[in-house]
Amino acid sequence: MGGSVLGRSVREGRQIKSAPSAVGKELRPTRGPAWLLFRAPGALILWWRYYFAKPGNIALSARQKGNPVMEVGFSLFFWGGIFFTLFLVLVGDR
């Protein structure tokens, strides 16, 4: 008699809980449009790396995709490169 009845484990007497759903959490802007614009390049880069991963790198790119820390890190490199390039263009040859 080890089955479950109405979401309760008969043997253990505990209720079995399901994991909370993460569906749609990425689409909720909690910090405003400027934050989403800042994070967008990182999310796109990680998406690109996930869908066009080289053989052997799929597990790494799957762990990184959708990770907010990785998105912010890649966004920092992206925006830093943009500002550095603009700086060189505007200040160069002086």
Side-chain angles (χ1 to χ4, degrees), residues 1-3 8-16:
M1 201 171 171
R8 298 184 64 83
S9 175
V10 175
R11 188 181 317 169
E12 298 174 9
R14 293 185 290 175
Q15 185 173 359
I16 299 170

Side-chain angles (χ1 to χ4, degrees), residues 31-46:
R31 297 186 185 194
W35 178 251
L36 290 177
L37 182 64
F38 171 75
R39 253 178 73 181
L44 289 173
I45 291 168
L46 289 173

